Amino acid sequence: MLEHCIRCPALLKAVHACPNPISEDPIANLLNFGSTFLSMGCYISFLAIVTISITRKTTRGFCIFLLLLAQYGITEVFKVGLQGLRPQGACSTSFGRPSSHSAFVGSLAGWLIMEVFFTPANAKFRYWKWYEPLRNIAFLALLLVPSSRVYLNYHTWFQVVEGAALGSMVAVGLFLYIHNFELNQNFQGLLRRFWNETGFDDNLSTSSVLDSQVQELVDNYEMVDKLKSCLLYTSPSPRDRQKSRMPSSA
């Protein structure tokens, strides 16, 4: 292992973010620092999302949490199966194909793109003042993070592109599965009226708020539990934070 890898702090080694040797070129040092920061940022973002999901208890946060767990598990399975080696001189001896960092940003960007096209324009989370800035940062990270992985010599370009593509496919697949695209189409008109009448509330667990037509359709689908939890998710939802609810028959 190279000298700069041996001298790398344990924390940076753990997150695969060891910087390149210090250069006399200030631009190279700036790129070096930025690449290390971006690599660590993936782990920081993951912990932040987990924390928000647990504390705010929103269905949207829970769905994204499931996404990150799914993409991490699938990426690790691919790494073990493909056993792709990292570039020569990398500060890691683990398998590097596909890139986990690239899969992470790919999954987030893929999920956010699906939200743009397949969630209602009046969903509550869209009115959060930080939604668009954070969404744009995620899209920008889809370009910057894979580049940083190549710059730090942890991956090849093929490995980062493969990772981003894998993460995006996991996001699209999980999004369509959770939201049940066919069911969403059938409910499009009825649920639009429901959103307007209930002030964009996303929770369908209390059957008293559903009219007879909606309830009849719900009963005909095996995906009802996923519909209730994720199809109309918004963030935040007051009912998501309630510790208990009245029975639907009350």
Side-chain angles (χ1 to χ4, degrees), residues 111 119 174-181 183-184 230-231 233:
W111 185 275
T119 57
L174 186 62
F175 186 97
L176 294 179
Y177 176 75
I178 290 177
H179 287 251
N180 195 351
F181 184 69
L183 181 62
N184 192 8
C230 295
L231 178 61
Y233 70 91

Side-chain angles (χ1 to χ4, degrees), residues 157-217:
W157 280 110
F158 179 80
Q159 289 173 347
V160 298
V161 171
E162 190 177 43
L166 177 62
S168 299
M169 288 189 290
V170 172
V172 172
L174 186 62
F175 186 97
L176 294 179
Y177 176 75
I178 290 177
H179 287 251
N180 195 351
F181 184 69
E182 182 180 357
L183 181 62
N184 192 8
Q185 284 185 317
N186 292 335
F187 274 81
Q188 196 78 210
L190 291 173
L191 293 184
R192 185 176 293 110
R193 184 179 65 187
F194 175 77
W195 294 323
N196 293 333
E197 290 177 355
T198 60
F200 314 141
D201 199 307
D202 69 328
N203 196 296
L204 295 183
S205 296
T206 305
S207 60
S208 61
V209 301
L210 297 172
D211 59 30
S212 58
Q213 289 179 295
V214 174
Q215 187 62 54
E216 181 179 356
L217 287 172

Side-chain angles (χ1 to χ4, degrees), residues 116-170:
V116 170
F117 292 103
F118 296 109
T119 57
N122 54 12
K124 279 186 176 180
F125 70 88
R126 292 179 181 268
Y127 293 97
W128 185 39
K129 64 179 181 179
W130 296 108
Y131 170 69
E132 287 193 7
L134 290 177
R135 184 188 64 187
N136 294 335
I137 290 174
F139 292 156
L140 183 61
L142 182 59
L143 299 176
L144 296 180
V145 170
S147 300
S148 72
R149 304 306 294 158
V150 174
Y151 186 81
L152 294 178
N153 198 40
Y154 275 97
H155 294 285
T156 64
W157 280 110
F158 179 80
Q159 289 173 347
V160 298
V161 171
E162 190 177 43
L166 177 62
S168 299
M169 288 189 290
V170 172

